[in-house]
Each structure stands twice: as C-alpha cells, then as structure tokens.
Amino acid sequence: MQVEKHETFDILVESDIVEVRQRARQWAIELKFGIVDQTKMLTAASELARNTLIYGGGGRVYFEMLHDDLNRSGLRLTFEDEGPGIPDIDIAMADHYSTGGGLGLGLSGSKRLVNDFQIKSEPGLGTRVSVTRWK
C-alpha cells in the first residue's frame, strides 16, 4: 500500500468537527468517491471526530490518500487522542453502549460504514481509531 498524500488536522474545539467533515468531503471528491461512499465516510468522520473531542479531550486526525496493489484508491482517517482511553473495547463497540448519554452508535456505527476499521486504546494513554474506505 502506498500513501499518495497526507495531512494532519488538530481537533480542539467543536467547530473542528465540521472542518474534519469538510476536509474528508474534499478528499473523497478528489478520489472520485460516489455520493453514497462520500456520505458513509463523512458520517464516520463526524462521529469519530466528536468522540476524539468529547471523550478524548481533543486530539488530531490524519488524512491519507491510499493506493494498493489491487489498483484501488482509498481514504484512511486516523483519529488519535491522549485521553482516558477505553477500558474495554468489546463493550465500547457494542451497539447502544454509551458513557455520554448518546445513542451509543459512534464506534459500532462507524465500523459498519467503512471497509477497514482498527481501534487501539489503553486506559490512561488514549485511543487511536483508523478507518478506511476503498473505491
């Protein structure tokens, strides 16, 4: 897999969530994603940016334009924070689990919207979530 282009953006205030969504849209359009693929990726980006801000206390997102050996193009977004971490990822990934009173579909819903989903978290050290959508 080859990274063709990359960018980092800090998520520090609520308006940054909108900016992450706008940037993800620009990247998806550049990759010529159809409207359905754009919508899925933008929805995941919004959810994960919000989680980064609310539960992680802020962090950053890495945008990467990918090309693989199967001649596919993809968009990978990696969200990182140094927040409290997730004590039990299996529980956090369950539908309707929420520590913040929401619907509990952020992580599990994001996973369903993308082709590749990876999460790593350690209590006290933060969380890293990476999502990729292929065209």
Side-chain angles (χ1 to χ4, degrees), residues 13-126:
V13 295
E14 187 145 350
S15 60
D16 291 338
I17 297 168
V18 175
E19 183 66 23
V20 167
R21 186 178 174 89
Q22 290 172 340
R23 288 177 188 227
R25 173 178 278 125
Q26 291 168 351
W27 284 64
I29 289 170
E30 186 174 340
L31 282 161
K32 299 183 178 19
F33 279 19
I35 192 71
V36 171
D37 287 334
Q38 286 180 41
T39 301
K40 288 179 177 183
M41 194 61 168
L42 301 179
T43 302
S46 293
E47 291 294 332
L48 296 171
R50 184 170 307 286
N51 283 0
T52 300
L53 181 63
I54 293 172
Y55 301 111
R60 70 211 53 79
V61 57
Y62 301 96
F63 296 83
E64 294 174 294
M65 187 178 295
L66 308 173
H67 295 284
D68 71 4
D69 295 338
L70 301 174
N71 207 24
R72 296 184 303 174
S73 297
L75 175 58
R76 178 168 56 202
L77 305 179
T78 303
F79 296 83
E80 284 185 347
D81 66 62
E82 289 83 38
I86 302 170
D88 189 325
I89 291 175
D90 290 335
I91 290 174
M93 291 298 298
D95 283 349
H96 307 296
Y97 174 79
S98 175
T99 59
L103 295 176
L105 295 172
L107 288 175
S108 62
S110 295
K111 182 177 182 179
R112 285 191 293 275
L113 293 169
V114 298
N115 302 117
D116 298 315
F117 181 95
Q118 297 176 353
I119 184 168
K120 181 180 180 188
S121 187
E122 293 186 44
L125 298 177

